[in-house]
Amino acid sequence: MQNIHDYVRTAAAAAKQAFYALSSAATAQKNAALLRMAELIKQHQADILAANAQDMAQAAAKGLDAAMLDRLKLTEHTVEGMCEGLRQIAALPDPVGEMDEFRLRPNGLQIGKMRVPLGVIGIIYESRPNVTVDAAALCLKSGNACVLRGGSEAFHSNMAIAKLITQALVENNLPADAVRLIENTDRESVGAMLQSPDLIDVIIPRGGKSLVARISAEARVPVIKHLDGICHIYIDQAADTEKAVNTAYNAKTSRDGTCNTIETLLVHAARAQEILPLLAEQYARAPKPVELRGCSRTLAILPDIQTATEEDWRTEYLGPILAVKIVDSLAEAVTHINTYGSHHTDAIITESYTDAQIFLRAVDSASVMVNASTRFADGFEYGLGAEIGISTDKIHVRGPVGLHGLTSQKWVVLGNGQIR
Amino acid sequence: MQNIHDYVRTAAAAAKQAFYALSSAATAQKNAALLRMAELIKQHQADILAANAQDMAQAAAKGLDAAMLDRLKLTEHTVEGMCEGLRQIAALPDPVGEMDEFRLRPNGLQIGKMRVPLGVIGIIYESRPNVTVDAAALCLKSGNACVLRGGSEAFHSNMAIAKLITQALVENNLPADAVRLIENTDRESVGAMLQSPDLIDVIIPRGGKSLVARISAEARVPVIKHLDGICHIYIDQAADTEKAVNTAYNAKTSRDGTCNTIETLLVHAARAQEILPLLAEQYARAPKPVELRGCSRTLAILPDIQTATEEDWRTEYLGPILAVKIVDSLAEAVTHINTYGSHHTDAIITESYTDAQIFLRAVDSASVMVNASTRFADGFEYGLGAEIGISTDKIHVRGPVGLHGLTSQKWVVLGNGQIR
């Protein structure tokens, strides 16, 4: 048998060949393949669920925790969700080939840009089998070939799904290798992907922080990644009380385990005495009561809460805990966010036009908001139709990554025989 | 004394702090600093030329070759070029803060994008002292702080220039650390930059292929790079003879050492018999006659030229040599370019609308052209006003990198108290 490294490189090389056919494929052909995938998955739901049951049994035997089992488990409902996702992606406009920004140069050249796929995208993920469908669909629609490396726990589920994806591609005269599932789940197969910049153009890790951190540390291929979500709401001196309380409550409690949930609340000193007790009361009555940890000035207002340490300002709790700090100015809030935040999503609550303008410009985050809950930071809420993840990187794409984030622009020069 | 690694990290951390002040700086303030730099450099031209003479003397003593000395040498003319570059960059529109793509969502949120600087840009370059000025100016205008690490050969020249840059920043109330020249030219200082993704957001190497290759291999920071320029002209079956001969001649001979010069000429079989002898005659009469290396079918038409080997299709000659291949179809030409090219710049010469459309879409290069010399692929010709380099990467930015290429877009969400 081939060694793992060669196997992965052979698969990636096949994907790269497939990319060239795929990049020029007609929109109708890609959409037909996506809709056919939805049909096939629906038709073969029983096979997929049986494969998933096999994975679940093995995972339970290995003693995986409940959260892991929950991410692994497929049901009729989640399978229908996959199919609906495919139909939605088929319905999105195709970004590939869009031309834009043309200018006429003095020498008569027309120079503009064309939106094009990136090439081969490597997706490395953990136990969620639905990523297999989502990632394949987004890559296909955006003209990219993909190499999918799912977790060992989901092996049988992923194989059952990938077989149907391949069938849909082939039935629509698209290259079978446009979506290549790596059928090896040893750690070495991830390493082989990370070390192949000649064959894979970008890697998108989907999973927990330790996976993402390891991949960024080892990759020789560019990575689009999501690390922390240490998001803030800053209640400005000019905040409307009701908007302040509602958004700060919502941004912590609507779901406490998501990356766009706030982890630190900043309150202008002039409003703390009024607003913090109102908020503390609401947080205490939440379905999952929120534990507050405050700076010394917060403790003077809310004496019963814990003291926040330096570490708290840097922590993504992913649970019902919120750090609270009183600041003396907008500038102090901005500095705190830029220093301790994760450049993900931060909001100001204010009625001041000027404070809003300053905050929007000065906060160095993928999403900056005025008078809105940070929980809106995702691809569906932003109208992207779908997302492959949320980038906390600064180059290429920031925030929710939809079809456009999986493309780039090349220059197009239209001449009439010009020489230089 | 501090060790080199700590010294570099301290400098980068200072640049990062400076970035936050710089990112919100007014356009007028940045322009005033740029114009002041031009004034100061002009006023202190004698000091700069004296420092450069010291570098030249040391370089000559070390036995550096003529090309290296040529890149190092400054004259009144090149100093004026630096000043003119500064004035041009001051005159360009400021991209930072531009808002775009706003859409109204059904819940009343206005969601759009704002163009923002990347953060701290590390520039690693070799012996050209003018890069110090160009890079500092482009970074400053685009709101980025920068850490500049020039070659040891240019140490005194760079120090003399950097001092004036700092003075212009301070005089205009911009942070002195916005442009930090690394005053250590050991290899270790490059390594320290490459290993600091927490402080440096992107690295742009400017120099020969070995420098760029080493930096990409070692960097833990994202790199925007230029590797090879293996560019092609494809003379299509439907080519106009005069345009074919003129562009293919110009794209090889106007300058043979630049990255946008063609290294391989592809000719449709139906036109080879007519066009190749005309071109061969022109190439032979060029000021620097061009050596042709052909495939076997080319040799049947031009029997006196050398045979091209597989290696020739992958070679960037950077000199008066051209590989020539006859192909049977547009598809074969596209496959050749995507397989052997460097995804830099490729042109088709054709009167066929459909062939042009297919070529533009299918060739996976940073610049794709119809009926124009590949030599036009640079930032000035594209109207960017200036360029910090040409990217052969596929993510973030492709082709000539101007001010926009040094920025990214963040999401802006304008609400009225919306919660999810």
Side-chain angles (χ1 to χ4, degrees):
Chain A
M1 195 199 127
Q2 235 176 350
N3 71 45
I4 294 171
H5 187 262
D6 290 348
Y7 159 69
V8 170
R9 285 191 54 85
T10 304
K16 188 168 182 175
Q17 280 311 306
F19 161 65
Y20 291 117
L22 186 60
S23 67
S24 296
T27 304
Q29 200 181 356
K30 296 189 285 188
N31 289 344
L34 290 167
L35 295 174
R36 182 64 179 142
M37 285 175 202
E39 277 176 10
L40 287 170
I41 287 173
K42 196 79 194 159
Q43 278 170 24
H44 294 83
Q45 176 173 284
D47 301 342
I48 294 171
L49 293 178
N52 185 250
Q54 203 179 339
D55 286 331
M56 288 292 288
Q58 290 184 3
K62 274 201 244 168
L64 267 60
D65 66 29
M68 202 103 155
L69 292 174
D70 184 55
R71 287 195 287 270
L72 177 58
K73 188 171 174 61
L74 293 176
T75 62
E76 287 193 16
H77 181 72
T78 52
V79 170
E80 174 48 32
M82 288 180 192
C83 297
E84 181 52 26
L86 285 162
R87 290 187 288 261
Q88 282 176 6
I89 292 168
L92 290 174
D94 186 345
V96 179
E98 270 179 4
M99 297 214 290
D100 202 7
E101 301 178 39
F102 270 86
R103 282 172 301 195
L104 179 63
R105 300 290 302 157
N107 59 6
L109 289 176
Q110 299 273 7
I111 302 187
K113 291 180 177 174
M114 184 192 286
R115 195 161 284 284
V116 288
L118 295 173
V120 178
I121 298 183
I123 314 274
I124 300 173
Y125 51 111
E126 296 182 321
S127 52
R128 293 183 197 269
N130 60 312
V131 174
T132 308
V133 174
D134 290 355
L138 284 162
C139 290
L140 177 64
K141 182 72 182 239
S142 56
N144 294 287
C146 61
V147 176
L148 306 175
R149 165 53 170 79
S152 57
E153 310 81 42
F155 179 75
H156 298 97
S157 312
N158 288 339
M159 289 290 285
I161 294 166
K163 195 180 121 192
L164 302 173
I165 291 174
T166 306
Q167 183 183 338
L169 290 169
V170 172
E171 284 181 15
N172 286 281
N173 296 313
L174 289 168
D177 292 324
V179 178
R180 276 298 298 250
L181 182 72
I182 297 295
E183 300 181 9
N184 173 287
T185 57
D186 290 341
R187 219 178 152 107
E188 198 183 334
S189 59
V190 170
M193 287 173 69
L194 300 182
Q195 302 302 321
S196 297
D198 54 329
L199 298 175
I200 298 179
D201 293 287
V202 60
I203 286 197
I204 303 179
R206 290 278 307 263
K209 203 168 143 180
S210 65
L211 174 84
V212 176
R214 178 195 154 211
I215 285 169
S216 332
E218 290 180 21
R220 301 259 28 90
V221 178
V223 174
I224 298 175
K225 66 179 174 300
H226 176 281
L227 272 172
D228 300 301
I230 303 178
C231 302
H232 303 73
I233 278 185
Y234 163 58
I235 298 177
D236 189 41
Q237 177 160 22
D240 174 87
T241 305
E242 192 181 337
K243 289 177 193 166
V245 172
N246 289 348
T247 53
Y249 179 78
N250 177 266
K252 183 71 224 181
T253 62
S254 81
R255 276 182 69 186
D256 60 25
T258 60
C259 61
N260 53 21
T261 296
I262 58 168
E263 310 292 355
T264 297
L265 177 72
L266 302 171
V267 185
H268 192 282
R271 304 299 299 282
Q273 189 69 56
E274 169 203 0
I275 290 176
L276 281 178
L278 293 173
L279 257 173
E281 196 191 323
Q282 285 224 22
Y283 283 136
R285 288 203 313 245
K288 279 201 233 169
V290 177
E291 175 194 333
L292 301 179
R293 300 185 186 174
C295 67
S296 58
R297 294 163 79 185
T298 302
L299 264 71
I301 298 171
L302 304 173
D304 298 334
I305 69 171
Q306 279 202 22
T307 304
T309 65
E310 173 81 9
E311 195 52 32
D312 282 297
W313 313 128
R314 301 186 190 279
T315 301
E316 184 179 16
Y317 300 113
L318 294 171
I321 306 174
L322 181 68
V324 182
K325 183 174 184 179
I326 294 177
V327 296
D328 285 315
S329 64
L330 169 57
E332 188 186 341
V334 168
T335 300
H336 181 98
I337 292 169
N338 284 338
T339 307
Y340 294 102
S342 64
H343 311 287
H344 189 297
T345 300
D346 301 287
I348 184 173
I349 309 303
T350 191
E351 297 302 305
S352 159
Y353 171 83
T354 298
D355 287 1
Q357 294 293 109
I358 292 171
F359 185 92
L360 289 176
R361 177 75 184 259
V363 170
D364 182 28
S365 295
S367 293
V368 287
M369 302 183 169
V370 180
N371 293 342
S373 168
T374 56
R375 291 275 296 114
F376 286 108
D378 81 34
F380 292 94
E381 294 292 336
Y382 282 7
L384 304 183
E387 69 174 31
I388 202 158
I390 296 184
S391 166
T392 56
D393 289 319
K394 298 181 80 174
I395 74 163
H396 188 64
V397 61
R398 298 183 79 167
V401 182
L403 291 175
H404 268 70
L406 297 177
T407 63
S408 185
Q409 286 179 305
K410 67 183 178 189
W411 293 89
V412 170
V413 177
L414 304 179
N416 187 30
Q418 280 86 346
I419 60 172
R420 186 173 173 189
Chain B
M1 193 199 130
Q2 236 177 353
N3 71 44
I4 295 172
H5 187 263
D6 290 348
Y7 160 69
V8 170
R9 286 191 52 86
T10 303
K16 190 169 181 175
Q17 280 310 308
F19 161 64
Y20 291 118
L22 186 61
S23 66
S24 295
T27 304
Q29 199 182 358
K30 295 188 286 188
N31 289 345
L34 291 166
L35 294 174
R36 182 66 179 140
M37 284 175 202
E39 276 176 12
L40 288 170
I41 287 172
K42 196 78 192 163
Q43 278 170 25
H44 295 83
Q45 175 172 287
D47 301 343
I48 295 171
L49 292 179
N52 185 248
Q54 203 180 339
D55 286 333
M56 288 292 288
Q58 288 184 5
K62 272 200 247 169
L64 266 61
D65 66 28
M68 203 101 155
L69 292 174
D70 185 54
R71 286 195 288 270
L72 178 58
K73 189 173 174 57
L74 292 176
T75 63
E76 289 193 15
H77 182 72
T78 52
V79 170
E80 175 49 32
M82 286 180 192
C83 298
E84 182 52 28
L86 285 162
R87 290 186 287 263
Q88 282 175 6
I89 292 168
L92 290 174
D94 186 345
V96 179
E98 270 179 4
M99 298 214 287
D100 202 8
E101 299 178 41
F102 271 83
R103 283 171 302 194
L104 179 63
R105 301 290 301 157
N107 58 5
L109 289 175
Q110 298 272 8
I111 301 186
K113 289 180 179 173
M114 184 192 286
R115 193 161 286 285
V116 288
L118 295 172
V120 178
I121 298 184
I123 314 273
I124 299 171
Y125 51 111
E126 295 180 321
S127 53
R128 292 184 198 270
N130 60 313
V131 174
T132 307
V133 174
D134 290 354
L138 284 163
C139 290
L140 178 64
K141 182 73 182 235
S142 56
N144 293 287
C146 61
V147 176
L148 306 175
R149 166 50 173 83
S152 56
E153 312 80 43
F155 179 75
H156 298 97
S157 313
N158 289 339
M159 289 290 285
I161 294 167
K163 197 181 118 191
L164 303 173
I165 291 174
T166 305
Q167 183 182 338
L169 290 170
V170 172
E171 284 180 13
N172 286 282
N173 297 313
L174 289 167
D177 293 324
V179 178
R180 279 295 301 248
L181 181 73
I182 296 294
E183 299 182 10
N184 173 288
T185 56
D186 290 342
R187 221 179 152 106
E188 200 183 333
S189 59
V190 170
M193 288 173 68
L194 301 182
Q195 302 302 320
S196 297
D198 53 331
L199 298 175
I200 298 179
D201 293 288
V202 60
I203 286 195
I204 304 180
R206 290 278 306 263
K209 201 169 146 180
S210 66
L211 175 82
V212 177
R214 178 194 154 213
I215 284 170
S216 336
E218 291 180 19
R220 302 258 29 88
V221 178
V223 175
I224 297 175
K225 67 180 175 295
H226 176 280
L227 272 172
D228 301 301
I230 303 178
C231 302
H232 302 74
I233 279 184
Y234 163 59
I235 299 176
D236 190 44
Q237 178 159 23
D240 174 87
T241 303
E242 194 181 336
K243 291 177 192 167
V245 172
N246 289 348
T247 53
Y249 179 77
N250 177 265
K252 184 70 223 181
T253 63
S254 79
R255 277 182 69 185
D256 60 25
T258 60
C259 60
N260 53 21
T261 296
I262 59 169
E263 309 293 353
T264 297
L265 178 71
L266 302 171
V267 185
H268 192 282
R271 304 298 299 282
Q273 189 68 57
E274 168 205 359
I275 289 175
L276 281 178
L278 293 173
L279 257 173
E281 197 190 321
Q282 286 224 19
Y283 283 135
R285 288 203 312 243
K288 279 199 235 172
V290 176
E291 175 194 332
L292 301 179
R293 300 185 185 173
C295 67
S296 57
R297 293 162 78 185
T298 301
L299 264 71
I301 298 169
L302 304 172
D304 298 334
I305 69 170
Q306 279 202 19
T307 305
T309 64
E310 172 81 8
E311 194 52 30
D312 283 296
W313 313 128
R314 302 186 188 279
T315 300
E316 184 179 18
Y317 300 114
L318 292 171
I321 306 173
L322 180 68
V324 182
K325 183 175 185 179
I326 294 176
V327 295
D328 285 315
S329 64
L330 170 56
E332 189 185 340
V334 168
T335 299
H336 181 97
I337 292 169
N338 284 337
T339 306
Y340 293 102
S342 65
H343 311 286
H344 188 299
T345 301
D346 301 287
I348 184 174
I349 309 303
T350 190
E351 298 301 308
S352 159
Y353 171 84
T354 298
D355 286 1
Q357 294 293 108
I358 291 171
F359 185 90
L360 290 177
R361 178 77 184 255
V363 169
D364 181 28
S365 295
S367 293
V368 288
M369 301 183 169
V370 181
N371 292 342
S373 168
T374 55
R375 291 276 294 116
F376 285 108
D378 80 36
F380 293 93
E381 294 292 336
Y382 282 7
L384 304 184
E387 70 173 31
I388 201 156
I390 297 184
S391 164
T392 56
D393 288 319
K394 299 180 81 175
I395 74 162
H396 187 66
V397 59
R398 299 183 77 165
V401 182
L403 291 175
H404 268 69
L406 298 177
T407 63
S408 185
Q409 287 178 303
K410 67 182 178 189
W411 294 89
V412 171
V413 178
L414 304 178
N416 188 30
Q418 281 85 348
I419 59 173
R420 188 171 169 191

